[in-house]
PDB file of all heavy atoms in Angstrom:
ATOM      1  N   ASP A   7      -4.359 208.532 234.407  1.00 87.00           N
ATOM      2  CA  ASP A   7      -3.154 208.973 235.099  1.00 87.00           C
ATOM      3  C   ASP A   7      -2.610 207.780 235.870  1.00 87.00           C
ATOM      4  O   ASP A   7      -3.376 207.066 236.527  1.00 87.00           O
ATOM      5  CB  ASP A   7      -3.489 210.127 236.041  1.00 87.00           C
ATOM      6  CG  ASP A   7      -2.246 210.779 236.629  1.00 87.00           C
ATOM      7  OD1 ASP A   7      -1.137 210.379 236.237  1.00 87.00           O
ATOM      8  OD2 ASP A   7      -2.397 211.680 237.475  1.00 87.00           O
ATOM      9  N   ALA A   8      -1.318 207.574 235.802  1.00 90.00           N
ATOM     10  CA  ALA A   8      -0.698 206.408 236.431  1.00 90.00           C
ATOM     11  C   ALA A   8      -1.374 205.143 235.896  1.00 90.00           C
ATOM     12  O   ALA A   8      -1.406 204.936 234.692  1.00 90.00           O
ATOM     13  CB  ALA A   8      -0.754 206.505 237.937  1.00 90.00           C
ATOM     14  N   ALA A   9      -1.934 204.301 236.802  1.00 91.00           N
ATOM     15  CA  ALA A   9      -2.552 203.051 236.362  1.00 91.00           C
ATOM     16  C   ALA A   9      -4.019 203.000 236.769  1.00 91.00           C
ATOM     17  O   ALA A   9      -4.546 201.956 237.119  1.00 91.00           O
ATOM     18  CB  ALA A   9      -1.802 201.859 236.939  1.00 91.00           C
ATOM     19  N   ASN A  10      -4.705 204.148 236.708  1.00 93.00           N
ATOM     20  CA  ASN A  10      -6.064 204.208 237.238  1.00 93.00           C
ATOM     21  C   ASN A  10      -7.129 203.644 236.301  1.00 93.00           C
ATOM     22  O   ASN A  10      -8.246 203.354 236.741  1.00 93.00           O
ATOM     23  CB  ASN A  10      -6.421 205.654 237.608  1.00 93.00           C
ATOM     24  CG  ASN A  10      -6.405 206.588 236.403  1.00 93.00           C
ATOM     25  OD1 ASN A  10      -5.647 206.369 235.470  1.00 93.00           O
ATOM     26  ND2 ASN A  10      -7.233 207.617 236.445  1.00 93.00           N
ATOM     27  N   VAL A  11      -6.818 203.495 235.010  1.00 95.00           N
ATOM     28  CA  VAL A  11      -7.794 202.936 234.071  1.00 95.00           C
ATOM     29  C   VAL A  11      -7.136 201.842 233.247  1.00 95.00           C
ATOM     30  O   VAL A  11      -5.911 201.827 233.062  1.00 95.00           O
ATOM     31  CB  VAL A  11      -8.394 204.015 233.140  1.00 95.00           C
ATOM     32  CG1 VAL A  11      -9.131 205.079 233.934  1.00 95.00           C
ATOM     33  CG2 VAL A  11      -7.312 204.639 232.267  1.00 95.00           C
ATOM     34  N   LEU A  12      -7.980 200.933 232.719  1.00 95.00           N
ATOM     35  CA  LEU A  12      -7.443 199.849 231.886  1.00 95.00           C
ATOM     36  C   LEU A  12      -7.237 200.279 230.449  1.00 95.00           C
ATOM     37  O   LEU A  12      -6.272 199.884 229.798  1.00 95.00           O
ATOM     38  CB  LEU A  12      -8.403 198.648 231.933  1.00 95.00           C
ATOM     39  CG  LEU A  12      -8.497 197.902 233.256  1.00 95.00           C
ATOM     40  CD1 LEU A  12      -9.606 196.869 233.198  1.00 95.00           C
ATOM     41  CD2 LEU A  12      -7.164 197.236 233.575  1.00 95.00           C
ATOM     42  N   SER A  13      -8.182 201.083 229.920  1.00 95.00           N
ATOM     43  CA  SER A  13      -8.120 201.447 228.502  1.00 95.00           C
ATOM     44  C   SER A  13      -8.657 202.851 228.308  1.00 95.00           C
ATOM     45  O   SER A  13      -9.250 203.447 229.214  1.00 95.00           O
ATOM     46  CB  SER A  13      -8.922 200.460 227.657  1.00 95.00           C
ATOM     47  OG  SER A  13     -10.298 200.523 227.992  1.00 95.00           O
ATOM     48  N   VAL A  14      -8.422 203.358 227.094  1.00 92.00           N
ATOM     49  CA  VAL A  14      -8.858 204.705 226.745  1.00 92.00           C
ATOM     50  C   VAL A  14      -9.665 204.627 225.460  1.00 92.00           C
ATOM     51  O   VAL A  14      -9.307 203.901 224.516  1.00 92.00           O
ATOM     52  CB  VAL A  14      -7.648 205.641 226.564  1.00 92.00           C
ATOM     53  CG1 VAL A  14      -8.037 206.906 225.821  1.00 92.00           C
ATOM     54  CG2 VAL A  14      -7.051 205.987 227.913  1.00 92.00           C
ATOM     55  N   SER A  15     -10.765 205.368 225.407  1.00 87.00           N
ATOM     56  CA  SER A  15     -11.579 205.443 224.202  1.00 87.00           C
ATOM     57  C   SER A  15     -11.408 206.816 223.576  1.00 87.00           C
ATOM     58  O   SER A  15     -11.736 207.842 224.190  1.00 87.00           O
ATOM     59  CB  SER A  15     -13.059 205.202 224.536  1.00 87.00           C
ATOM     60  OG  SER A  15     -13.865 205.381 223.386  1.00 87.00           O
ATOM     61  N   LEU A  16     -10.861 206.847 222.363  1.00 91.00           N
ATOM     62  CA  LEU A  16     -10.660 208.088 221.624  1.00 91.00           C
ATOM     63  C   LEU A  16     -11.571 208.077 220.401  1.00 91.00           C
ATOM     64  O   LEU A  16     -11.727 207.044 219.746  1.00 91.00           O
ATOM     65  CB  LEU A  16      -9.205 208.232 221.182  1.00 91.00           C
ATOM     66  CG  LEU A  16      -8.164 208.260 222.297  1.00 91.00           C
ATOM     67  CD1 LEU A  16      -6.755 208.275 221.714  1.00 91.00           C
ATOM     68  CD2 LEU A  16      -8.367 209.475 223.200  1.00 91.00           C
ATOM     69  N   PRO A  17     -12.156 209.209 220.038  1.00 89.00           N
ATOM     70  CA  PRO A  17     -13.088 209.230 218.904  1.00 89.00           C
ATOM     71  C   PRO A  17     -12.380 208.987 217.579  1.00 89.00           C
ATOM     72  O   PRO A  17     -11.189 209.283 217.415  1.00 89.00           O
ATOM     73  CB  PRO A  17     -13.683 210.637 218.971  1.00 89.00           C
ATOM     74  CG  PRO A  17     -12.679 211.452 219.708  1.00 89.00           C
ATOM     75  CD  PRO A  17     -12.033 210.530 220.688  1.00 89.00           C
ATOM     76  N   ALA A  18     -13.130 208.435 216.628  1.00 90.00           N
ATOM     77  CA  ALA A  18     -12.585 208.183 215.294  1.00 90.00           C
ATOM     78  C   ALA A  18     -12.129 209.499 214.663  1.00 90.00           C
ATOM     79  O   ALA A  18     -12.795 210.530 214.775  1.00 90.00           O
ATOM     80  CB  ALA A  18     -13.638 207.509 214.420  1.00 90.00           C
ATOM     81  N   GLY A  19     -10.963 209.453 213.995  1.00 90.00           N
ATOM     82  CA  GLY A  19     -10.439 210.628 213.315  1.00 90.00           C
ATOM     83  C   GLY A  19      -9.725 211.616 214.205  1.00 90.00           C
ATOM     84  O   GLY A  19      -9.270 212.661 213.736  1.00 90.00           O
ATOM     85  N   SER A  20      -9.595 211.324 215.499  1.00 92.00           N
ATOM     86  CA  SER A  20      -8.966 212.268 216.414  1.00 92.00           C
ATOM     87  C   SER A  20      -7.449 212.239 216.304  1.00 92.00           C
ATOM     88  O   SER A  20      -6.849 211.246 215.893  1.00 92.00           O
ATOM     89  CB  SER A  20      -9.390 211.960 217.859  1.00 92.00           C
ATOM     90  OG  SER A  20      -8.972 210.649 218.219  1.00 92.00           O
ATOM     91  N   GLN A  21      -6.832 213.358 216.672  1.00 94.00           N
ATOM     92  CA  GLN A  21      -5.379 213.479 216.724  1.00 94.00           C
ATOM     93  C   GLN A  21      -5.043 214.085 218.076  1.00 94.00           C
ATOM     94  O   GLN A  21      -5.136 215.296 218.272  1.00 94.00           O
ATOM     95  CB  GLN A  21      -4.852 214.352 215.583  1.00 94.00           C
ATOM     96  CG  GLN A  21      -3.326 214.481 215.542  1.00 94.00           C
ATOM     97  CD  GLN A  21      -2.642 213.178 215.160  1.00 94.00           C
ATOM     98  OE1 GLN A  21      -3.054 212.505 214.225  1.00 94.00           O
ATOM     99  NE2 GLN A  21      -1.589 212.823 215.880  1.00 94.00           N
ATOM    100  N   ILE A  22      -4.631 213.236 219.033  1.00 95.00           N
ATOM    101  CA  ILE A  22      -4.431 213.650 220.414  1.00 95.00           C
ATOM    102  C   ILE A  22      -2.936 213.809 220.696  1.00 95.00           C
ATOM    103  O   ILE A  22      -2.117 213.069 220.163  1.00 95.00           O
ATOM    104  CB  ILE A  22      -5.034 212.608 221.386  1.00 95.00           C
ATOM    105  CG1 ILE A  22      -6.471 212.264 220.976  1.00 95.00           C
ATOM    106  CG2 ILE A  22      -4.975 213.110 222.816  1.00 95.00           C
ATOM    107  CD1 ILE A  22      -7.399 213.447 220.901  1.00 95.00           C
ATOM    108  N   VAL A  23      -2.597 214.770 221.550  1.00 96.00           N
ATOM    109  CA  VAL A  23      -1.205 215.009 221.941  1.00 96.00           C
ATOM    110  C   VAL A  23      -1.009 214.500 223.364  1.00 96.00           C
ATOM    111  O   VAL A  23      -1.620 215.025 224.310  1.00 96.00           O
ATOM    112  CB  VAL A  23      -0.839 216.499 221.858  1.00 96.00           C
ATOM    113  CG1 VAL A  23       0.592 216.718 222.329  1.00 96.00           C
ATOM    114  CG2 VAL A  23      -1.023 217.028 220.443  1.00 96.00           C
ATOM    115  N   PHE A  24      -0.153 213.475 223.520  1.00 96.00           N
ATOM    116  CA  PHE A  24       0.151 212.974 224.857  1.00 96.00           C
ATOM    117  C   PHE A  24       1.269 213.809 225.455  1.00 96.00           C
ATOM    118  O   PHE A  24       2.380 213.859 224.926  1.00 96.00           O
ATOM    119  CB  PHE A  24       0.576 211.505 224.812  1.00 96.00           C
ATOM    120  CG  PHE A  24       0.867 210.940 226.177  1.00 96.00           C
ATOM    121  CD1 PHE A  24      -0.139 210.349 226.919  1.00 96.00           C
ATOM    122  CD2 PHE A  24       2.134 211.033 226.738  1.00 96.00           C
ATOM    123  CE1 PHE A  24       0.102 209.855 228.198  1.00 96.00           C
ATOM    124  CE2 PHE A  24       2.390 210.553 228.011  1.00 96.00           C
ATOM    125  CZ  PHE A  24       1.371 209.956 228.739  1.00 96.00           C
ATOM    126  N   ASP A  25       0.966 214.444 226.603  1.00 93.00           N
ATOM    127  CA  ASP A  25       1.953 215.278 227.296  1.00 93.00           C
ATOM    128  C   ASP A  25       1.792 215.136 228.803  1.00 93.00           C
ATOM    129  O   ASP A  25       2.158 216.028 229.562  1.00 93.00           O
ATOM    130  CB  ASP A  25       1.779 216.751 226.902  1.00 93.00           C
ATOM    131  CG  ASP A  25       0.399 217.292 227.268  1.00 93.00           C
ATOM    132  OD1 ASP A  25      -0.507 216.479 227.577  1.00 93.00           O
ATOM    133  OD2 ASP A  25       0.217 218.521 227.262  1.00 93.00           O
ATOM    134  N   GLY A  26       1.251 213.987 229.228  1.00 83.00           N
ATOM    135  CA  GLY A  26       0.893 213.838 230.624  1.00 83.00           C
ATOM    136  C   GLY A  26       1.961 213.182 231.465  1.00 83.00           C
ATOM    137  O   GLY A  26       3.073 212.889 231.021  1.00 83.00           O
ATOM    138  N   ALA A  27       1.578 212.960 232.747  1.00 89.00           N
ATOM    139  CA  ALA A  27       2.430 212.233 233.675  1.00 89.00           C
ATOM    140  C   ALA A  27       2.517 210.778 233.227  1.00 89.00           C
ATOM    141  O   ALA A  27       1.707 210.316 232.412  1.00 89.00           O
ATOM    142  CB  ALA A  27       1.841 212.332 235.081  1.00 89.00           C
ATOM    143  N   PRO A  28       3.490 210.018 233.736  1.00 94.00           N
ATOM    144  CA  PRO A  28       3.593 208.605 233.344  1.00 94.00           C
ATOM    145  C   PRO A  28       2.254 207.889 233.505  1.00 94.00           C
ATOM    146  O   PRO A  28       1.612 207.947 234.557  1.00 94.00           O
ATOM    147  CB  PRO A  28       4.646 208.067 234.305  1.00 94.00           C
ATOM    148  CG  PRO A  28       5.495 209.247 234.611  1.00 94.00           C
ATOM    149  CD  PRO A  28       4.566 210.417 234.648  1.00 94.00           C
ATOM    150  N   THR A  29       1.831 207.238 232.419  1.00 95.00           N
ATOM    151  CA  THR A  29       0.515 206.613 232.367  1.00 95.00           C
ATOM    152  C   THR A  29       0.647 205.181 231.897  1.00 95.00           C
ATOM    153  O   THR A  29       1.389 204.905 230.943  1.00 95.00           O
ATOM    154  CB  THR A  29      -0.417 207.388 231.419  1.00 95.00           C
ATOM    155  OG1 THR A  29      -0.549 208.737 231.897  1.00 95.00           O
ATOM    156  CG2 THR A  29      -1.790 206.749 231.340  1.00 95.00           C
ATOM    157  N   GLN A  30      -0.083 204.276 232.559  1.00 95.00           N
ATOM    158  CA  GLN A  30      -0.049 202.864 232.204  1.00 95.00           C
ATOM    159  C   GLN A  30      -1.444 202.417 231.774  1.00 95.00           C
ATOM    160  O   GLN A  30      -2.428 202.638 232.491  1.00 95.00           O
ATOM    161  CB  GLN A  30       0.405 202.018 233.393  1.00 95.00           C
ATOM    162  CG  GLN A  30       1.790 202.358 233.900  1.00 95.00           C
ATOM    163  CD  GLN A  30       2.139 201.572 235.153  1.00 95.00           C
ATOM    164  OE1 GLN A  30       1.616 200.488 235.384  1.00 95.00           O
ATOM    165  NE2 GLN A  30       3.022 202.128 235.967  1.00 95.00           N
ATOM    166  N   LEU A  31      -1.495 201.776 230.588  1.00 96.00           N
ATOM    167  CA  LEU A  31      -2.757 201.292 230.049  1.00 96.00           C
ATOM    168  C   LEU A  31      -2.604 199.854 229.603  1.00 96.00           C
ATOM    169  O   LEU A  31      -1.525 199.450 229.153  1.00 96.00           O
ATOM    170  CB  LEU A  31      -3.220 202.145 228.866  1.00 96.00           C
ATOM    171  CG  LEU A  31      -3.445 203.647 229.115  1.00 96.00           C
ATOM    172  CD1 LEU A  31      -3.709 204.348 227.796  1.00 96.00           C
ATOM    173  CD2 LEU A  31      -4.595 203.863 230.088  1.00 96.00           C
ATOM    174  N   GLN A  32      -3.702 199.119 229.689  1.00 95.00           N
ATOM    175  CA  GLN A  32      -3.681 197.781 229.129  1.00 95.00           C
ATOM    176  C   GLN A  32      -3.849 197.817 227.620  1.00 95.00           C
ATOM    177  O   GLN A  32      -3.224 197.059 226.901  1.00 95.00           O
ATOM    178  CB  GLN A  32      -4.804 196.928 229.754  1.00 95.00           C
ATOM    179  CG  GLN A  32      -4.282 195.680 230.433  1.00 95.00           C
ATOM    180  CD  GLN A  32      -5.399 194.869 231.057  1.00 95.00           C
ATOM    181  OE1 GLN A  32      -6.525 194.844 230.578  1.00 95.00           O
ATOM    182  NE2 GLN A  32      -5.073 194.204 232.130  1.00 95.00           N
ATOM    183  N   SER A  33      -4.694 198.721 227.124  1.00 94.00           N
ATOM    184  CA  SER A  33      -4.920 198.816 225.685  1.00 94.00           C
ATOM    185  C   SER A  33      -5.236 200.251 225.298  1.00 94.00           C
ATOM    186  O   SER A  33      -5.795 201.019 226.082  1.00 94.00           O
ATOM    187  CB  SER A  33      -6.066 197.889 225.258  1.00 94.00           C
ATOM    188  OG  SER A  33      -7.284 198.300 225.830  1.00 94.00           O
ATOM    189  N   LEU A  34      -4.860 200.587 224.080  1.00 95.00           N
ATOM    190  CA  LEU A  34      -5.131 201.908 223.528  1.00 95.00           C
ATOM    191  C   LEU A  34      -5.258 201.777 222.015  1.00 95.00           C
ATOM    192  O   LEU A  34      -4.386 201.210 221.356  1.00 95.00           O
ATOM    193  CB  LEU A  34      -4.002 202.885 223.872  1.00 95.00           C
ATOM    194  CG  LEU A  34      -4.046 204.271 223.204  1.00 95.00           C
ATOM    195  CD1 LEU A  34      -5.320 205.007 223.588  1.00 95.00           C
ATOM    196  CD2 LEU A  34      -2.823 205.094 223.579  1.00 95.00           C
ATOM    197  N   SER A  35      -6.375 202.298 221.497  1.00 93.00           N
ATOM    198  CA  SER A  35      -6.593 202.329 220.057  1.00 93.00           C
ATOM    199  C   SER A  35      -6.859 203.761 219.655  1.00 93.00           C
ATOM    200  O   SER A  35      -7.749 204.419 220.226  1.00 93.00           O
ATOM    201  CB  SER A  35      -7.780 201.432 219.669  1.00 93.00           C
ATOM    202  OG  SER A  35      -8.020 201.496 218.282  1.00 93.00           O
ATOM    203  N   ALA A  36      -6.079 204.284 218.694  1.00 94.00           N
ATOM    204  CA  ALA A  36      -6.186 205.693 218.338  1.00 94.00           C
ATOM    205  C   ALA A  36      -6.132 205.871 216.830  1.00 94.00           C
ATOM    206  O   ALA A  36      -5.396 205.168 216.135  1.00 94.00           O
ATOM    207  CB  ALA A  36      -5.055 206.489 218.996  1.00 94.00           C
ATOM    208  N   SER A  37      -6.924 206.831 216.341  1.00 95.00           N
ATOM    209  CA  SER A  37      -6.776 207.220 214.939  1.00 95.00           C
ATOM    210  C   SER A  37      -5.451 207.937 214.744  1.00 95.00           C
ATOM    211  O   SER A  37      -4.746 207.718 213.758  1.00 95.00           O
ATOM    212  CB  SER A  37      -7.935 208.126 214.520  1.00 95.00           C
ATOM    213  OG  SER A  37      -9.159 207.431 214.555  1.00 95.00           O
ATOM    214  N   GLY A  38      -5.118 208.812 215.704  1.00 96.00           N
ATOM    215  CA  GLY A  38      -3.852 209.517 215.639  1.00 96.00           C
ATOM    216  C   GLY A  38      -3.392 209.938 217.013  1.00 96.00           C
ATOM    217  O   GLY A  38      -4.184 210.418 217.828  1.00 96.00           O
ATOM    218  N   LEU A  39      -2.108 209.731 217.296  1.00 96.00           N
ATOM    219  CA  LEU A  39      -1.556 210.123 218.596  1.00 96.00           C
ATOM    220  C   LEU A  39      -0.145 210.657 218.390  1.00 96.00           C
ATOM    221  O   LEU A  39       0.661 210.061 217.678  1.00 96.00           O
ATOM    222  CB  LEU A  39      -1.523 208.941 219.556  1.00 96.00           C
ATOM    223  CG  LEU A  39      -1.020 209.270 220.971  1.00 96.00           C
ATOM    224  CD1 LEU A  39      -2.111 210.008 221.749  1.00 96.00           C
ATOM    225  CD2 LEU A  39      -0.608 208.011 221.718  1.00 96.00           C
ATOM    226  N   THR A  40       0.143 211.800 219.042  1.00 97.00           N
ATOM    227  CA  THR A  40       1.488 212.364 219.060  1.00 97.00           C
ATOM    228  C   THR A  40       2.035 212.282 220.474  1.00 97.00           C
ATOM    229  O   THR A  40       1.426 212.810 221.406  1.00 97.00           O
ATOM    230  CB  THR A  40       1.488 213.827 218.591  1.00 97.00           C
ATOM    231  OG1 THR A  40       1.046 213.899 217.239  1.00 97.00           O
ATOM    232  CG2 THR A  40       2.883 214.425 218.694  1.00 97.00           C
ATOM    233  N   LEU A  41       3.160 211.620 220.656  1.00 97.00           N
ATOM    234  CA  LEU A  41       3.828 211.553 221.951  1.00 97.00           C
ATOM    235  C   LEU A  41       4.840 212.692 221.991  1.00 97.00           C
ATOM    236  O   LEU A  41       5.866 212.644 221.311  1.00 97.00           O
ATOM    237  CB  LEU A  41       4.511 210.202 222.137  1.00 97.00           C
ATOM    238  CG  LEU A  41       5.218 209.955 223.465  1.00 97.00           C
ATOM    239  CD1 LEU A  41       4.267 210.149 224.635  1.00 97.00           C
ATOM    240  CD2 LEU A  41       5.828 208.565 223.512  1.00 97.00           C
ATOM    241  N   ALA A  42       4.512 213.737 222.792  1.00 96.00           N
ATOM    242  CA  ALA A  42       5.321 214.947 222.813  1.00 96.00           C
ATOM    243  C   ALA A  42       6.182 215.067 224.057  1.00 96.00           C
ATOM    244  O   ALA A  42       7.157 215.828 224.061  1.00 96.00           O
ATOM    245  CB  ALA A  42       4.417 216.176 222.702  1.00 96.00           C
ATOM    246  N   SER A  43       5.842 214.331 225.132  1.00 95.00           N
ATOM    247  CA  SER A  43       6.642 214.358 226.354  1.00 95.00           C
ATOM    248  C   SER A  43       6.121 213.269 227.281  1.00 95.00           C
ATOM    249  O   SER A  43       5.088 212.642 227.022  1.00 95.00           O
ATOM    250  CB  SER A  43       6.561 215.726 227.043  1.00 95.00           C
ATOM    251  OG  SER A  43       5.238 215.982 227.484  1.00 95.00           O
ATOM    252  N   GLY A  44       6.826 213.053 228.392  1.00 94.00           N
ATOM    253  CA  GLY A  44       6.375 212.089 229.379  1.00 94.00           C
ATOM    254  C   GLY A  44       6.598 210.656 228.955  1.00 94.00           C
ATOM    255  O   GLY A  44       7.315 210.365 227.991  1.00 94.00           O
ATOM    256  N   GLU A  45       5.953 209.727 229.675  1.00 96.00           N
ATOM    257  CA  GLU A  45       6.092 208.305 229.386  1.00 96.00           C
ATOM    258  C   GLU A  45       4.723 207.648 229.318  1.00 96.00           C
ATOM    259  O   GLU A  45       3.911 207.775 230.241  1.00 96.00           O
ATOM    260  CB  GLU A  45       6.934 207.602 230.452  1.00 96.00           C
ATOM    261  CG  GLU A  45       7.109 206.110 230.183  1.00 96.00           C
ATOM    262  CD  GLU A  45       8.091 205.439 231.119  1.00 96.00           C
ATOM    263  OE1 GLU A  45       8.804 206.168 231.846  1.00 96.00           O
ATOM    264  OE2 GLU A  45       8.150 204.198 231.129  1.00 96.00           O
ATOM    265  N   LEU A  46       4.491 206.947 228.227  1.00 97.00           N
ATOM    266  CA  LEU A  46       3.252 206.220 228.018  1.00 97.00           C
ATOM    267  C   LEU A  46       3.585 204.745 227.887  1.00 97.00           C
ATOM    268  O   LEU A  46       4.386 204.353 227.027  1.00 97.00           O
ATOM    269  CB  LEU A  46       2.548 206.714 226.753  1.00 97.00           C
ATOM    270  CG  LEU A  46       1.273 205.977 226.340  1.00 97.00           C
ATOM    271  CD1 LEU A  46       0.200 206.101 227.412  1.00 97.00           C
ATOM    272  CD2 LEU A  46       0.755 206.516 225.001  1.00 97.00           C
ATOM    273  N   SER A  47       2.964 203.936 228.751  1.00 97.00           N
ATOM    274  CA  SER A  47       3.181 202.498 228.716  1.00 97.00           C
ATOM    275  C   SER A  47       1.862 201.815 228.375  1.00 97.00           C
ATOM    276  O   SER A  47       0.872 201.990 229.100  1.00 97.00           O
ATOM    277  CB  SER A  47       3.710 202.006 230.069  1.00 97.00           C
ATOM    278  OG  SER A  47       3.860 200.602 230.059  1.00 97.00           O
ATOM    279  N   VAL A  48       1.852 201.052 227.267  1.00 97.00           N
ATOM    280  CA  VAL A  48       0.630 200.404 226.796  1.00 97.00           C
ATOM    281  C   VAL A  48       0.959 198.953 226.450  1.00 97.00           C
ATOM    282  O   VAL A  48       1.880 198.695 225.663  1.00 97.00           O
ATOM    283  CB  VAL A  48       0.043 201.108 225.564  1.00 97.00           C
ATOM    284  CG1 VAL A  48      -1.308 200.486 225.210  1.00 97.00           C
ATOM    285  CG2 VAL A  48      -0.105 202.606 225.806  1.00 97.00           C
ATOM    286  N   THR A  49       0.177 198.032 227.012  1.00 97.00           N
ATOM    287  CA  THR A  49       0.422 196.625 226.708  1.00 97.00           C
ATOM    288  C   THR A  49       0.104 196.331 225.243  1.00 97.00           C
ATOM    289  O   THR A  49       0.919 195.741 224.528  1.00 97.00           O
ATOM    290  CB  THR A  49      -0.423 195.723 227.631  1.00 97.00           C
ATOM    291  OG1 THR A  49      -0.120 196.046 228.986  1.00 97.00           O
ATOM    292  CG2 THR A  49      -0.110 194.255 227.381  1.00 97.00           C
TER     293      THR A  49
END
């Protein structure tokens, strides 16, 4: 949430729905991600 973590670990083969508050990450690696609302910022 916000800028509280540097990165996110998602399991292989996952399909996650992003619907959260504005979130800032340094890195993100995903098998599958759907951006359905909100703002996601990833370097």
Side-chain angles (χ1 to χ4, degrees):
D7 189 4
N10 62 330
V11 299
L12 291 173
S13 64
V14 163
S15 175
L16 300 175
S20 61
Q21 182 69 45
I22 310 303
V23 177
F24 181 90
D25 61 346
T29 300
Q30 300 175 26
L31 301 172
Q32 238 179 31
S33 65
L34 172 60
S35 178
S37 295
L39 183 76
T40 297
L41 182 56
S43 65
E45 180 172 349
L46 176 62
S47 177
V48 186
T49 303

